[in-house]
Amino acid sequence: AEKVTSLGKDWHRPCLRCEKCNKTLTSGGHAEHDGKPYCNHPCYAALFGPKGGCLWWGRGGSEGVQGS
């Protein structure tokens, strides 16, 4: 199986998935929260982004978003 590294760990390629929607993610092309991977949209934005605003503003820029 192909190995990818993300969040300081090695993953089997198909095992790097969003914690909420289970979508397969790419190394460095996703967000994280409490050490768990999330797709940027819609999951991370809906769960942890500022309410009623853009994900990139209101919390100090791209804080918590990897690969930005």
Side-chain angles (χ1 to χ4, degrees):
E2 185 180 340
K3 177 178 84 169
V4 294
T5 301
S6 187
L7 305 176
K9 299 186 238 178
D10 291 331
W11 304 74
H12 292 114
R13 173 74 192 107
C15 296
L16 182 58
R17 296 182 171 273
C18 175
E19 284 288 314
K20 179 160 175 52
C21 71
N22 211 32
K23 175 183 170 184
T24 302
L25 304 171
T26 59
S27 179
H30 59 83
E32 69 87 26
H33 185 81
D34 289 335
K36 297 177 184 174
Y38 292 88
C39 58
N40 288 314
H41 295 286
C43 297
Y44 183 87
L47 292 169
F48 309 111
K51 304 301 179 213
C54 178
L55 176 63
W56 307 111
W57 300 102
R59 286 186 40 181
S62 60
E63 172 183 311
V65 179
Q66 290 192 342
S68 57

